[in-house]
Amino acid sequence: MDTKTAAEKWGCKDRDVQNWCRSGFVDGAVMEKRKWLIPDDAQRPLDRKLQKEILWQILQWKDSHQKRVDLTCWGISDDGIVNYIALLLGAYLRNAPGVAEIRDLDDLELTERGFSLLGYGKEAEAESLPKVIRWSASAAGVFAANFASESLRQLAGLS
């Protein structure tokens, strides 16, 4: 596919796809006759916009108890969501206090860095934060991405 098709599929701008290809963020993308050719099964890179969207959807899921994180408008299948969430573990997400094994999204919480990415830094007053963001931002330990990925796959019923 070309960059325009990838941009439509991934819910972003053509220019973003060109920049990702140029920077090497799209696996298998090659420049041919001054155009980028991208494999049909290439995955959308995890940029800041997508990181924010995933974090917000997890917060909405926790707050409203909706049972699905939907990233299809970003060109990400239900199977792919697990991989993107696993990439956010450690930096932006961690297991909640007292949770040894991640079984569903309620077992995750945002790290301080995750709150910061969404615009809620240390200075934010607890009362000014949406209800779901008031949950604790402190816990110990982070699972290895492959273990968390497998746990999330089981949650999504993909294994």
Side-chain angles (χ1 to χ4, degrees), residues 48 51 55 88 90-94 109-111 113-114 117:
R48 260 179 107 71
Q51 291 171 358
L55 295 178
L88 295 176
Y92 300 110
L93 292 168
R94 66 174 159 228
E109 68 175 14
L110 270 67
T111 63
R113 189 172 169 195
L117 180 68

Side-chain angles (χ1 to χ4, degrees), residues 138-151:
S138 62
V142 174
F143 284 86
N146 60 354
F147 178 77
S149 176
E150 183 58 34
S151 296

Side-chain angles (χ1 to χ4, degrees), residues 60-74:
Q60 289 172 349
W61 186 90
K62 290 174 77 70
D63 196 32
S64 66
H65 301 289
Q66 68 187 35
K67 296 301 174 197
R68 183 165 190 254
V69 173
D70 184 8
L71 298 175
T72 53
C73 66
W74 295 78

Side-chain angles (χ1 to χ4, degrees), residues 2 27 31 34 38 42 46 54 63 66 74 84 90 99 107 120 123-125 128 133 137 139 153-154:
D2 61 6
D27 289 338
M31 174 73 86
R34 298 181 57 155
I38 302 166
L46 183 62
I54 292 169
D63 196 32
Q66 68 187 35
W74 295 78
Y84 285 92
V99 174
D107 294 338
Y120 294 103
E123 309 81 39
E125 300 265 341
S128 70
I133 295 181
R153 271 190 196 291
Q154 290 173 357

